[in-house]
């Protein structure tokens, strides 16, 4: 198959026509839909005094679970990890709803929220690890674009579940969707046949032992932090418009990935990252609603670059680790933004995000100008990677 095929608009349909793709893709779509709804449903379900600790515990559990599940997939395979995680989460969510209805103590709710987060089945990371085996080389970037599109669509559509049913029902529905998607993916031929291979060149840091992955992880952290700054600043400035701001960012990211993933782009990967970060710096400081158009392609580019440089036997762990880095950076940035806003006003958060993206863009330019030799990062040739 010609490598350029993966960059045409029709390549999205070409991916769907590859045998064995539809089932994993639909399974991950089902398992991703609750991502945008679960934390909000749990927030609305509990008393205001316990809302903050519960949501924080859910986020911490999710970040930790991502890292451990990714490593376990590389060692034990995807099916057993996905099924076990889904069962843990479903039981934790059911117990959480029962505990809320019974006016259970806040520490118990926090513990159950943490377990629910840690048990969230990492179907998205599993699918990213499967793409090299599912599709020809010329369609791998488009496959990663499909993964990003599914995630962004879930962040946009997931909260709509709360419009039609109660928060308690949404929590249970989220658990069922996570479990259904995870079990379907685990039963697919692609997941059962996938093997990570022997682990080489890693230590306690796992995939972050590779210098190139660490560099890309830093860019992922910047992207997550910028998103956290913009979201928190919008919520503080006018809480009534916060849901619409979040929806606008998700829509922008969805459109950005859709457009960015259909054609090749000139220059080395680091030059493209530098341009995206530069545009993100301007958008965060002047046009924050446009940040999504750049955040989606930025994350997609990072995943595509990193996939070429994970140490052997760490593909699933690598993708989940990068997602965890973004999640942690997002949360930390929101906390720092709160301090900046309290000290210097709402505009300080957006200016901080702009400065962070700008500095990262300058560092990317330096790496690109040096030829990216140290990390041996990929260059985009005419016709593909």
């Amino acid at each position: 198959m010609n490598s350029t095929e993966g960059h045409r608009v029709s390549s999205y349909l070409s991916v769907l026509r590859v045998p064995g793709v539809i089932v994993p893709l639909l399974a991950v779509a089902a398992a991703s839909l609750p991502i945008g709804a679960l934390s909000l449903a749990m927030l609305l379900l509990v008393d205001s005094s316990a809302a903050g600790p519960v949501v924080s515990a859910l986020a911490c559990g999710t970040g930790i679970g991502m890292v451990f599940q990714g490593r376990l997939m590389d060692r034990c395979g995807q099916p057993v990890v996905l099924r076990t995680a889904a069962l843990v989460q479903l039981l934790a969510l059911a117990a959480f709803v029962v505990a809320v209805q019974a006016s259970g103590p806040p520490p118990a709710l926090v513990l159950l929220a943490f377990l629910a987060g840690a048990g969230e089945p990492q179907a998205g990371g599993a699918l990213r690890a499967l793409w090299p085996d599912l599709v020809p080389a010329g369609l791998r970037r488009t496959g990663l674009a499909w993964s990003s599109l599914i995630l962004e669509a879930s962040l946009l559509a997931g909260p709509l579940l709360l419009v039609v049913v109660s928060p308690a029902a949404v929590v249970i529905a989220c658990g069922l969707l996570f479990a259904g998607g995870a079990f379907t993916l685990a039963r697919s031929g692609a997941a059962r046949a996938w093997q990570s291979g022997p682990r080489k060149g890693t230590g306690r840091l796992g995939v972050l032992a590779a210098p190139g992955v660490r560099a890309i992880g830093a860019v992922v952290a910047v992207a997550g932090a910028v998103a956290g700054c913009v979201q928190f600043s919008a919520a503080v400035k006018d809480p009534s418009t916060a849901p619409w701001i979040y929806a606008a960012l998700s829509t922008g990211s969805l459109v950005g990935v859709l457009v960015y993933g259909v054609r090749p782009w000139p220059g080395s990967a680091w030059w493209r990252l530098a341009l995206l970060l530069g545009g993100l710096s301007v958008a965060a400081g002047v046009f924050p609603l446009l940040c999504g158009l750049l955040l989606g392609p930025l994350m997609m580019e990072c995943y595509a670059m990193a996939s070429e440089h994970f140490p052997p036997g760490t593909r699933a762990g690598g993708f989940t680790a990068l997602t965890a880095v973004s999640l942690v950076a997002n949360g930390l940035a929101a906390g720092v933004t709160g301090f900046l806003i309290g000290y210097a006003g709402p505009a300080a958060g957006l200016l901080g995000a702009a400065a962070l993206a700008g500095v990262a863009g300058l560092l990317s330019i330096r790496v690109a100008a040096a030829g990216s030799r140290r990390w041996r990062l990929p260059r985009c040739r005419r016709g593909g990677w």
Side-chain angles (χ1 to χ4, degrees):
M1 182 177 293
N2 192 308
S3 62
T4 58
E5 182 177 350
H7 300 294
R8 299 198 299 261
V9 175
S10 62
S11 62
Y12 285 103
L13 296 177
S14 299
V15 169
L16 299 181
R17 288 193 288 266
V18 174
V21 166
I22 291 294
V23 172
L25 201 64
L26 291 178
V28 173
S32 298
L33 183 60
I35 292 176
L38 182 58
S39 61
L40 182 57
M42 295 176 74
L43 174 68
L44 297 175
L45 187 60
V46 300
D47 294 333
S48 57
S49 59
V54 162
V55 173
S56 297
L58 179 69
C60 291
T62 302
I64 294 173
M66 284 179 179
V67 176
F68 278 95
Q69 286 185 48
R71 290 193 175 191
L72 287 173
M73 286 181 197
D74 287 324
R75 294 180 180 180
C76 307
Q78 293 187 2
V80 63
V81 177
L82 289 170
R83 290 170 180 152
T84 303
L87 286 175
V88 169
Q89 187 195 46
L90 187 58
L91 292 173
L93 289 177
F96 180 85
V97 172
V98 171
V100 171
Q101 300 297 332
S103 301
L109 300 180
V110 170
L111 176 60
L112 291 171
F114 179 86
L115 291 175
E120 179 182 311
Q122 296 305 309
L127 179 61
R128 286 190 173 97
L130 288 175
W131 282 122
D133 300 325
L134 278 174
V135 297
L139 291 175
R140 288 175 187 172
R141 277 178 61 87
T142 311
L144 290 171
W146 264 113
S147 292
S148 297
L149 288 171
I150 288 173
L151 177 60
E152 297 301 336
S154 70
L155 294 176
L156 182 62
L160 296 179
L161 291 172
L162 290 161
V163 177
V164 294
V165 289
S166 67
V170 169
V171 170
I172 298 300
C174 286
L176 293 174
L177 284 168
F178 273 126
F183 271 80
T184 303
L185 179 60
R187 286 177 56 86
S188 68
R192 287 186 284 110
W194 180 79
Q195 293 182 347
S196 179
R199 295 167 59 88
K200 296 180 181 179
T202 63
R204 293 182 178 180
L205 291 177
V207 294
L208 296 180
V213 178
R214 288 203 299 270
I216 296 168
V219 178
V220 169
V222 169
V226 170
C229 291
V230 172
Q231 290 169 343
F232 192 89
S233 298
V236 170
K237 185 175 181 180
D238 188 354
S240 64
T241 63
W244 300 104
I245 299 295
Y246 279 49
L249 290 173
S250 296
T251 302
S253 187
L254 184 68
V255 172
V257 169
L258 185 64
V259 173
Y260 190 81
V262 299
R263 56 155 296 175
W265 298 91
S268 74
W270 277 99
W271 279 115
R272 293 195 295 275
L273 285 186
L275 290 174
L276 288 169
L277 287 165
L280 187 61
S281 177
V282 174
V286 184
F287 305 108
L289 288 180
L290 298 180
C291 285
L293 289 172
L294 298 166
L295 281 169
L298 181 62
M299 290 296 293
M300 176 187 162
E301 191 70 67
C302 287
Y303 281 124
M305 292 169 63
S307 66
E308 301 291 334
H309 299 280
F310 291 139
T314 63
R315 201 190 305 166
F319 284 121
T320 54
L322 289 180
T323 305
V325 166
S326 175
L327 179 67
V328 171
N330 186 284
L332 292 176
V336 174
T337 301
F339 172 79
L340 292 175
I341 290 175
Y343 181 77
L350 297 178
L351 293 177
L356 184 63
V359 170
L362 291 175
L363 292 177
S364 298
I365 290 175
R366 181 176 179 181
V367 174
S372 305
R373 294 173 182 172
R374 179 178 179 183
W375 293 288
R376 299 179 183 177
L377 293 172
R379 293 174 179 270
C380 185
R381 302 183 298 272
R382 182 178 296 275
W385 290 91

